[in-house]
Amino acid sequence: MVPLLGIAVAVLLGACGFDVRSADVLLLTRTGQGTTLTLLINDGGSISCDGGRSKPLVDSLLIRARDLAVNLSGDATANLHLPAGPGTIFTYRVKLQAGTVVFSDRDTVHHPVLAETEVFAAQTAQQACNLN
């Protein structure tokens, strides 16, 4: 009787499924001229564009998002916040598990990982979200 109970429990658990969600890699928000862009990238390989439904993200963009998260982690831990100066077109906010980084497109000249983040946002919006 006990083996049957064990099998029944295993079948029941298998049928229910475990909806385990992977952690988010980053939440990137770009504001400024035009519409606001929001990219939520999940470590399980999905992206949500502008609050829409999650959809699969190609591996190359997921790997770049993970690399950015690692490369920005020091700035995020320090909660780097660079105020937007004159001539700013876009402001970026990248939320990571370690903290948040805020910068403008004018700050990318002196901080290469911020420049990578700016390019990543534009390319991901076009490739994964079909946005211009």
Side-chain angles (χ1 to χ4, degrees):
M1 179 82 157
V2 174
L4 289 177
L5 181 60
I7 292 171
V9 170
V11 169
L12 181 61
L13 290 175
C16 293
F18 292 103
D19 189 18
V20 177
R21 181 166 152 72
S22 299
D24 292 330
V25 176
L26 60 83
L27 172 63
L28 186 149
T29 305
R30 182 185 71 190
T31 56
Q33 293 184 357
T35 59
T36 298
L37 170 68
T38 303
L39 305 173
L40 176 60
I41 299 177
N42 183 272
D43 201 39
S46 65
I47 184 170
S48 173
C49 307
D50 294 331
R53 293 181 55 119
S54 291
K55 58 185 178 180
L57 181 65
V58 296
D59 290 342
S60 61
L61 290 176
L62 177 60
I63 290 167
R64 285 180 60 198
R66 288 174 178 161
D67 287 344
L68 281 176
V70 168
N71 294 336
L72 287 169
S73 65
D75 291 333
T77 300
N79 285 310
L80 179 67
H81 185 277
L82 302 172
T88 295
I89 297 173
F90 291 114
T91 300
Y92 298 83
R93 174 180 299 274
V94 182
K95 185 175 180 182
L96 306 169
Q97 290 181 357
T100 303
V101 177
V102 179
F103 64 97
S104 77
D105 52 7
R106 308 291 282 180
D107 300 312
T108 60
V109 174
H110 304 292
H111 205 312
V113 72
L114 300 183
E116 291 173 35
T117 305
E118 180 180 38
V119 171
F120 174 80
Q123 290 177 342
T124 303
Q126 292 172 348
Q127 295 173 18
C129 303
N130 300 318
L131 302 172
N132 294 334

